[in-house]
Structure formats: structure tokens, C-alpha cells
Amino acid sequence: MDLIDNLILGFSTASTLWNLFFCLIGVLLGTLIGVLPGIGATATIAMLLPITFQIGDPVAALIMLAGVYYGAQYGGSTTAILINMPGESSSAVTAVDGYQMARKGRAGAALATAAIGSFFAGTVATFLIALFAPPLTAIALKFGAAEYVSLMIVGLVSAVVLAHGSVIKALGMVVLGLLLGLVGTDVISGAPRFILGIREYADGLNFVAVAVGVFGIAEILRNLENEHERSVLIRNVQGLMPTREDFRRMTAPILRGTVLGSVLGILPGAGAILAAFASYTVEKRVSRHPEEFGKGALEGVAGPESANNAGAQTSFIPMLTLGLPTNPVMALMSGAMIIQGIVPGPNVASEQPALFWGIIASMWIGNLLLIVLNLPLIGLWVKLLTVPYYILFPIIMAFCSIGIYSVNSNVYDLYLVAFFGILGYALMKLRCEPAPLLLGFVLGPLLEENLRRAMILSKGDPTTFVTRPISAGLLALAAAVLVIVFLPAIGKKRAEVFVEEGA
Amino acid sequence: MKIIHIDTTNGLCGALFVVLGLFFAYQSWMMDMGTALRMGPGYFPLLLAGILLLLGIIVLIQATRVASEPIGPLAWRGMLLILPAPIFFGLTVRGLGFLPAIFITALIASFASMRMKPITALILSAGVTLFSYLVFSRGLSLPYRPFGPWLGF
């Protein structure tokens, strides 16, 4: 069995002491920063990205980064439950019933339910990835330049659809991201582009600096807008172990959430967020006590948390098999791969099987570490919530500075952080989502390269994109998605979903 | 005459798109276009800049019609003190050396909050510096000089 062999390879790679160590560090650091209110998984990963470059070994670096991702998500739900302040939108749903449970003195049970649901969903999703990644990779290997162009267009269009707010603005963000991705030396002609005479930017804008600026710094600035006291409801979390009744109530929601999350997570855009909302709606509808929802229903924590985690995990599928990041976190991961000298895409599985399967196996190990470590450490995380914010961000700024400098020892990268920090903050204030921008930034060079190649292969005939069947199918999909989002009825529904989310 | 009301958030956003679109379009225009068959370095960026410009104009038109969410409060103090922190680090890391640079960087960032007291800021920055020395110099052995030439080292 190929699958078994591959999983054995993966687990033997991921469970070396060296890799386990980095997985552990990643999970701990991720939880540590993820717990801090107002800092979501994306900002956490962006800020911890530079540290992973010091490792030097791509497998360990990516395993650590994946660990940071799960850790940050887990930390985010802890914050959501304990102080009703979701670190990111996907745990916003958890905050609804989780916080109410905490107010009733059942914080322990809510946290444990979230952990158990996440672990179960993570386990299922890991096996789904192992199952579906190879056939998808095989299809992707048949892709030519034209198909890649069309595929990237699908990815970018989907990112636009699932962004909050105005579709036009999200489109603008994608285009701006693509343009920023082109800054640097043109690979074909060697001509410098948009560098304004600054030779230090000839290799392109440093991805880490852009990500830290747009997500990390902008986030810090937003938190500084109004500094108010956070009240931590629970100083002591007790009764961590769910009762038998709790277990009975959480089983079905966890199963349903896992299925929903696994399917929606593959979609480009914000699959995990969508999954969490969908799961909450489903649970409320099938429940025999819908009136309990919003007042501390265990199902309202179990379902969305499982869906969220399953979605977070299956969103690795397009990135690992097609090299196509579908959300900002995956854009960060693929940026990390590029910096480690690995070109994300279908070739990764065949050329670097140990890396590919090692990452997949480490997802499960990371989830296991989370449940084993975090439940006992919950007291520590609660204490962390009481650390005032003004103590935290000078520390974050100092480490960001060292971290970014350490990537290339280029001081111009530090100026870039400040520039993208202010740009990111301005865009945030103008209600533009930064996620499509980062996606565009990562895909910009790839899109241009494949576009040029496709045009050369077709001898300058642009109809190549619609005469090749796979490419035509993908473009039709992108067009359909765009048409649907501009239809008034859907637009209204979409607005409702995001309004609910913002509430 | 009817007064045209322009929504601030969308107006600024559209203007930003237009300015950026024009900037990239102008820069691309100066480069070799090539043909559709063999695209030059300017071809694809010009296309994108054109789209950005167009989107900016659409947002501007929308701004005259519908009101959107207000911009809300701005973190002026944060911007004034957070943004210079990495710039200061970049300017001084080679000259002052890595430890003094990180100390002052943390100190600058500390005062971005109104709640920070000077004593706390000093202790915090010293702690960050010590931690950085242990982790980055000792632990990860990054090749940065702890103290630089400006200090006579």
C-alpha cells in the first residue's frame, strides 16, 4: 500500500527528536501568541516566520510553522472562550457559546470540548490529506503553463469572493498584491522594475517584511487605537474534564463539524471561517434545544471548533498539491517554502517525499501535542491573558526587528516593514482586506511567468486559455464565481453572513 | 446646484487605488512592452496597473453614491512610535551594534502606549535586550556584533 508506506515515511520523518522538538516549539509559541487577544493566527505566523529561517532545515522549519498555525488557532479559541475576544474571525463563533459557558462556570468543559473536537477533526483531516493529495498531485503534474494561469485566476477570484466587504476593493487588493509581487528584477529580461533606484530591492520585496508589516504591525496599531482594560472573567479554570453527559452531547456535533470543515476547507478563500459558521447554523437547526444556543450550548462550541480545525487542515491540500495558497496562512507557508528553496507545487511530493509526508504527519503530531500539553497548561495561558497589552507590543516589535533583519541581514527590509505597516494600517482603515493582497503578492511572479510561457507556447495566441479543456473549465469556474458574487441576491446573503460574523 | 457628497472612506480608498495605479502604469510605460507573444517587462504590470486604475475609478464613483463605514479613530501615537522602531533598528544595528540597537528599539516602541511608565519601559527594554542576547547571540549564534564601531568596538 502506497498510502501506508507514505504515512510511515511521514511519521518517521516527523517523529525524529529534532523535528518533534521544533513541532513542540511551534505549537507552544503559536499558542503563546495566539492566546494574546487581538492577534490572530495570520499575524502570529507572520511574526514568527523569521525565527523559522534560523533553523536552516526546511523540513523542521515547515513543521514548526505548521505547529505555530495549530497553536495559534487553539490559543485563539481559548481567548474567545475566556474573555469573549476572538483573536480571529474563525473563532468568533466559538466566542458566542463558549463565553456563555465560561460565565456559567463551565469554562473548563468548554475548553476541553474545543480541544477534543479540534483533535478529532485534525486526525480525520490529516488522513484525508494523505488520501487525496497523491491523486491531485498526479493531475496537477499534467498541467501546462496555460492551466496554471487559469488555476491561479480561480484562486485569486475565490479569495476576492470570500473576503469581507466590497468585492471591488478586494479585487483592487489582489491586483495591488500582484503588482507588488512584481517589484524587483524581471527574470526574463533582467530589467529592474519599480525599485525606484534602490538596489537592495532588486531581488524583490522581502515576503516576510511585507507579511509582518501588513498583518503584524497593522494589527498592533489597530489595538493601540483604544486601549481599554480587559477583564478576565476566569482566574481559575476548574472542572476541565467534561461529564459523561457532555461527551454524549458533543459527539454528533464534532462528527458533523469535521465533515463540513473538511469539505469547505479545500475551497479557496476563507474555508475555515465559512465552515465554523456553517457548522454553528447546522447545529442550531438540528438541535432539540435551539433556544440554548447563544446561552452556553456545548454543541455551539463542539461543532464550530471541529469544523474550524478540519478546515484549517484541509486548506493545506491545494497548497501542497497545486502550489496554490488559498488563504493568507497558506500564502505565508508557501512563502516560507520559497525562502527555504522549495518551489511549492505538484513536484514537491515526488521530489521531496520526506518533506511532503513529514509535514502531513506532523499535523497530526502537532494536534496531539496540543491536547497533551495545553490542557495541563491552561492555567499558564489564563495568566498570560492578564498581561497588559502595553507590555507585549514593545517585545513583539523588538523581536520582529531582529527576526526580519536575520532573514537576509538587509537593513532595507526593516524600512520595508515600517512602510508596509503604515500601508496595511491605512488599508485596514479604508476597509480593504489585507488577505487578498498577500495572496496576490505571492502569486504575482508565478502568474506572470506562466502567462508569458503560455503565450510563447501558443505562439502569441491568447485563445490558448479557452481552447485547452482544463484551462477553459477553470476559467469558466472563475467567471461563474465572479458572476454569482455580483448577483444582487447572493451579494445580500454574503453581506448577512459577514454582518453576523462582525457582531 | 446639487452638492456632491463624497464618502471619506471610499473616497480615500479610490484615490489611493488611482494614485497607485498611475504610479505603476507610469513606471511600466517606461519599460519595454514587448508583444503579446514575447512579453517585455512592462507588459503584464501595465495591464495590472490599468485594472487597478479602473477599480479605483469605480470605488470613487461609488463613494459619491453610498455612505460606508466611517474611518474611526486613528492610532497617531502608535504610528509615531511603532513605525520608527524597526527603522531605527535598521539604521543603527551595524553602527551601534545589535544590543544597544535592540534596547533603544524596544524603548521607542514602549512609549506607543499611553499607559507605559518610564521605569517600566526601561526595565522591559533591558529584559528584552538580555533575552535577545541569550537567544539570538548565544542560542542561535546569529553573526551580529553585540556592540558596534560607533561605540569604539
Side-chain angles (χ1 to χ4, degrees), chain A residues 169 193 227 409 425 429 431 452, chain B residues 10 40-41 70 73 75 94 113:
Chain A
K169 285 183 184 176
R193 294 193 285 189
E227 302 179 59
S409 297
Y425 184 60
K429 293 263 85 174
R431 304 287 180 266
R452 282 168 154 186
Chain B
N10 276 340
R94 295 212 179 118
S113 167

Side-chain angles (χ1 to χ4, degrees), chain A residues 54 169 175 193 221 225 227 229 390 393 399 402 405-406 409 411 414-415 422 425 429 431 452 459-460, chain B residues 10 31 37 40-41 48 69-71 73-75 78-79 90-91 94 102 109 113-116 131 142 144:
Chain A
Q54 303 314 322
K169 285 183 184 176
V175 176
R193 294 193 285 189
L221 289 174
E225 274 169 16
E227 302 179 59
E229 291 282 350
Y390 67 84
F393 66 81
F399 291 159
I402 305 177
Y405 183 58
S406 70
S409 297
V411 292
L414 291 157
Y415 311 147
I422 188 93
Y425 184 60
K429 293 263 85 174
R431 304 287 180 266
R452 282 168 154 186
K459 304 195 169 55
Chain B
N10 276 340
M31 285 184 277
L37 170 60
L48 291 175
E69 292 172 74
I71 291 187
L74 288 175
M79 278 191 271
L91 291 174
R94 295 212 179 118
I102 205 67
S113 167
M114 291 176 294
R115 291 159 179 264
M116 182 61 86
F131 184 82
L142 295 188
Y144 304 131

